[in-house]
Amino acid sequence: MSIFHTARATVAPRHFALALAVCFTFIFYGLALFPVEWSLAHSRHAAWSLTIGFSNTLLIFLCLANSRWSFVLGVPPLLVACTLGGYVQWRWGVVIDSNVMGALLEADSYETKTFLTWDMWLLLLGSAAVGIAISALYVKWCWYRQSWVRGFQHAYILFALAVALAFATHQFEGSETDFDDMFEWAPAIVMGAALFFFVKPSHLGWVGRTAVWVGLVAMGLLALSYAGSQETLWMVLCAGGLMGAWSVCSARDKLSEKGCAHVSAAHTLGMAVLLMPALIDGVMSDTLWPVNLVAAAAAHVDDLYYVSQARKTKLDLTTLNGAAADIPDKQLVVVLVVGESARADHFGLNGYARATTPRLAATPGLVSFSNARSCASATRISVPCLLTRATELDSKRSSDETSLISMFRRFGFDTAWISTNQIYGTYDTPVTAVANEAQRQIFPITMQNFQHGALDEELLEPFRKFLARPSPRKLVVLHQRGSHWHYHDRYPPAFQKFTPTCHGNTSPSACKVTQLINGYDNSILYTDHVLGSVIGALGEQNALFLYTSDHGQSLGEDGYFTHGAPERLEQRHVPMMWWASDSFRQQHPAVMSTLLTKRRQPVSHDHVFHSVLGCAGFHGSVIDESMNLCAP
């Protein structure tokens, strides 16, 4: 007989769910005991997230599936989604949120290929196989058409386990307790939940059941006293409520299933409260897998919609009264180079032990700010942020008003956006919205070249052509590929000075850290060559030049790699370098001297909008002089 036509359940669903929950916990817990990389906190957190995600996936379908096919077709994809999130967190140290989701979905074809490593495919296929096996066994052994009340009842064990793990995760991470203590508690958490659910409610008696409800009221008052600010208390409250409802419901179950129908409202409410933190705007729990993955995708769609709608109502800064007054320079070239994944402490002129910036170090008059901080650790946030009046604390402002590009256009500057990144096409993204303010968008890299890595020297030819245009005033933004992973694709063989390096389509965590750093430093050396060429192309023109990076990069510190974790300092520490031609320095001697005196002070992307306009000579209501690095 087909497994989809089994007439009678032979295994209690709650026993089946309990066995799986215990297996998930000890399998992922066991992983933390062997490979060295699992000793890192974020990697072990990934193991807990997988445990919770797998358990929650079964919870959802045990509760909601009302047909065999919905279970079989629904569980495997969600397990695959959980595994993908766990892989990213394990290998890269990044939790998938709306920004990471956006970076993945907006990545070009070559960048996407670099993420699809063999070990990722293996894990995804394995999780799909596990999902299919679990679904088939559940349908064969446990399935019968159940009521909603019964479905929620069968899911309690998974629910309680997931909440206990989530609570433990937050409690230990939020205190000074070492993360290892959490693993000592893991078996107790699992076995405690198991014993609770194997004890029949009738054994508790009316005194026990009364105690349960008293505890629920106490937890409710505690949760409300925090006004919802403590996410874990919502989960504890929900877990307690469902446990109590289960006790009452099961006590009456022998009499009649209809006897506990009135409790179904409590079940539904409990589920809603559990999922609420993952769905409320601004409150995202990385323990509520797979719900947070769905929420991240939804938030990304909402971001895109917001950007597309904001473009229609965007405030044009040039229309504000007294926005800025024109400058006396009749001929001026302003060049803003936006790097990619460059961190300041790997630049030789900032004190790095290796000579990674020989050309920049030999450039007269170049001023380097060695203590600069990025707006974020993701390109899609940082680039619009640094080009607008947006700040680290108010990054969405970049979608609400125009950038410095429009300000330069207002005063007759010929503007261009030249990028070695992929053509954005007709889709609205935060970077696209800013790039489209320029009169010209130039993407010299073909799709064929993307398959082999894009080199930033491709920027130079269109840049020189733009400089040759007859317009006396010009603003050009050069958007680099810079030092984005894979590092060996970011520079030609002639710049492979530091060896050995890591090659092949693999994740950075699979490389030796020394090889990773060698490849990264080679990419910085090549960036130095490109920036030196840009400055050289300016020649005798009246020119002002600024280079900064969108964000930094992790190179294995505490098990973190690349970017996307804004709390990591190395992902926010970026270079910021100013240079002016002899002609500009002669006409505006105070500009570079002021920058030179401020080069030691902490600065950030928040300064860029005001400083580029201010250093070019503009003054007006849109420029905050306290953020203008060229202001005396």
Side-chain angles (χ1 to χ4, degrees):
M1 180 180 295
S2 168
I3 62 171
F4 299 108
H5 293 86
T6 303
R8 185 178 180 84
T10 58
V11 177
R14 63 174 180 156
H15 295 173
F16 181 79
L18 171 64
L20 286 176
V22 172
C23 287
F24 291 154
T25 301
F26 282 100
I27 287 174
F28 296 125
Y29 171 67
L31 287 174
L33 303 179
F34 296 102
V36 175
E37 64 255 32
W38 282 94
S39 63
L40 303 167
H42 72 82
S43 296
R44 291 180 292 176
H45 194 185
W48 284 113
S49 296
L50 280 174
T51 303
I52 295 166
F54 275 41
S55 296
N56 277 349
T57 296
L58 289 179
L59 162 68
I60 292 169
F61 279 91
L62 282 170
C63 290
L64 305 180
N66 59 1
S67 72
R68 296 176 175 86
W69 282 109
S70 63
F71 198 94
V72 173
L73 297 178
V75 170
L78 281 181
L79 294 189
V80 170
C82 290
T83 303
L84 177 61
Y87 178 88
V88 172
Q89 190 173 0
W90 167 40
R91 283 298 201 186
W92 305 75
V94 175
V95 175
I96 294 182
D97 57 14
S98 60
N99 292 317
V100 174
M101 184 74 70
L104 293 173
L105 295 178
E106 295 168 10
D108 58 58
S109 56
Y110 177 79
E111 187 177 345
T112 301
K113 182 181 176 182
T114 64
F115 289 112
L116 301 177
T117 57
W118 67 269
D119 53 345
M120 176 183 285
W121 281 115
L122 183 63
L123 289 173
L124 295 182
L125 291 174
S127 61
V130 169
I132 293 172
I134 289 174
S135 302
L137 291 176
Y138 179 80
V139 169
K140 182 175 179 62
W141 292 343
C142 309
W143 181 264
Y144 57 90
R145 191 167 297 277
Q146 57 188 357
S147 67
W148 284 83
V149 173
R150 178 88 62 175
F152 277 109
Q153 180 184 343
H154 293 159
Y156 285 148
I157 178 59
L158 286 175
F159 184 88
L161 179 62
V163 170
L165 293 177
F167 178 73
T169 300
H170 278 269
Q171 288 298 103
F172 284 112
E173 286 188 334
S175 66
E176 296 180 357
T177 307
D178 190 83
F179 202 92
D180 288 335
D181 294 344
M182 183 175 163
F183 287 89
E184 298 175 6
W185 283 62
I189 291 172
V190 176
M191 298 314 297
L195 289 174
F196 176 85
F197 280 102
F198 275 120
V199 173
K200 294 182 179 181
S202 58
H203 292 169
L204 296 175
W206 69 270
V207 175
R209 288 194 292 275
T210 301
V212 169
W213 287 106
V214 170
L216 292 180
V217 173
M219 280 193 291
L221 294 175
L222 180 63
L224 291 175
S225 69
Y226 280 80
S229 62
Q230 295 293 322
E231 198 174 328
T232 51
L233 288 177
W234 280 103
M235 288 189 275
V236 172
L237 172 63
C238 180
L242 288 177
M243 287 179 186
W246 174 83
S247 298
V248 174
C249 181
S250 297
R252 300 180 179 181
D253 187 60
K254 290 183 179 180
L255 300 176
S256 169
E257 189 169 291
K258 294 181 180 180
C260 55
H262 67 282
V263 188
S264 61
H267 297 157
T268 305
L269 178 62
M271 177 67 73
V273 174
L274 172 72
L275 301 183
M276 191 183 302
L279 300 176
I280 294 178
D281 183 37
V283 183
M284 177 83 72
S285 172
D286 59 7
T287 59
L288 286 176
W289 290 22
V291 176
N292 71 322
L293 301 177
V294 178
H300 173 61
V301 172
D302 182 67
D303 286 344
L304 293 182
Y305 179 77
Y306 181 83
V307 170
S308 64
Q309 294 301 305
R311 187 180 64 165
K312 303 174 183 177
T313 58
K314 182 178 290 189
L315 172 64
D316 185 353
L317 294 181
T318 64
T319 63
L320 296 179
N321 185 31
D326 201 357
I327 58 176
D329 299 64
K330 301 304 180 183
Q331 188 275 324
L332 177 63
V333 177
V334 179
V335 180
L336 173 55
V337 183
V338 180
E340 168 66 48
S341 303
R343 48 189 280 184
D345 61 347
H346 276 248
F347 278 62
L349 80 169
N350 285 337
Y352 187 48
R354 287 177 165 177
T356 56
T357 53
R359 290 191 64 173
L360 292 174
T363 301
L366 186 137
V367 177
S368 176
F369 285 74
S370 57
N371 190 12
R373 177 180 171 87
S374 68
C375 186
S377 62
T379 302
R380 64 193 309 272
I381 301 177
S382 284
V383 172
C385 181
L386 69 90
L387 292 172
T388 64
R389 294 194 299 176
T391 65
E392 180 180 347
L393 300 178
D394 184 20
S395 60
K396 274 207 167 185
R397 191 176 187 180
S398 63
S399 298
D400 296 332
E401 56 187 44
T402 54
S403 72
L404 59 84
I405 298 175
S406 291
M407 290 298 299
F408 277 94
R409 284 188 64 177
R410 165 68 177 79
F411 292 101
F413 278 74
D414 193 1
T415 56
W417 182 285
I418 308 176
S419 174
T420 45
N421 292 275
Q422 188 178 24
I423 298 175
Y424 297 110
T426 58
Y427 298 99
D428 288 310
T429 70
V431 176
T432 302
V434 177
N436 286 338
E437 292 183 32
Q439 292 157 293
R440 293 169 181 81
Q441 298 85 36
I442 305 170
F443 297 87
I445 303 297
T446 64
M447 289 305 297
Q448 182 179 4
N449 289 340
F450 268 112
Q451 302 306 315
H452 304 286
L455 295 178
D456 285 329
E457 277 182 297
E458 298 286 344
L459 294 169
L460 298 179
E461 184 58 28
F463 174 62
R464 294 189 183 101
K465 289 182 178 179
F466 181 73
L467 290 180
R469 290 177 57 82
S471 48
R473 290 178 167 185
K474 302 180 183 74
L475 167 74
V476 57
V477 178
L478 302 177
H479 190 196
Q480 295 181 308
R481 296 284 282 186
S483 299
H484 198 285
W485 177 254
H486 290 113
Y487 308 133
H488 65 270
D489 286 334
R490 303 281 79 85
Y491 56 88
F495 288 85
Q496 185 151 317
K497 177 180 179 180
F498 308 107
T499 57
T501 59
C502 185
H503 291 267
N505 188 31
T506 184
S507 62
S509 60
C511 302
K512 293 182 179 179
V513 172
T514 54
Q515 295 179 345
L516 209 63
I517 293 175
N518 286 339
Y520 184 79
D521 287 347
N522 289 333
S523 72
I524 298 296
L525 181 64
Y526 181 62
T527 293
D528 169 77
H529 165 71
V530 173
L531 295 179
S533 299
V534 170
I535 292 175
L538 294 173
E540 301 300 321
Q541 301 194 56
N542 185 37
L544 178 66
F545 167 95
L546 167 63
Y547 166 75
T548 189
S549 181
D550 56 356
H551 51 73
Q553 194 84 332
S554 289
L555 297 170
E557 292 89 349
D558 299 323
Y560 285 83
F561 297 90
T562 69
H563 52 273
E567 72 278 5
R568 299 296 304 180
L569 295 180
E570 68 274 7
Q571 295 187 22
R572 306 292 295 277
H573 187 199
V574 295
M576 182 181 289
M577 302 172 191
W578 294 83
W579 175 88
S581 65
D582 291 339
S583 174
F584 187 92
R585 289 200 301 272
Q586 290 172 6
Q587 296 181 52
H588 309 283
V591 170
M592 296 308 292
S593 61
T594 302
L595 287 172
L596 188 63
T597 61
K598 295 181 178 181
R599 71 186 187 280
R600 302 293 184 192
Q601 74 180 42
V603 295
S604 72
H605 282 170
D606 296 357
H607 292 84
V608 172
F609 175 91
H610 308 279
S611 298
V612 171
L613 288 167
C615 293
F618 290 101
H619 298 282
S621 61
V622 301
I623 302 170
D624 184 349
E625 293 296 337
S626 67
M627 302 297 288
N628 176 9
L629 295 175
C630 291

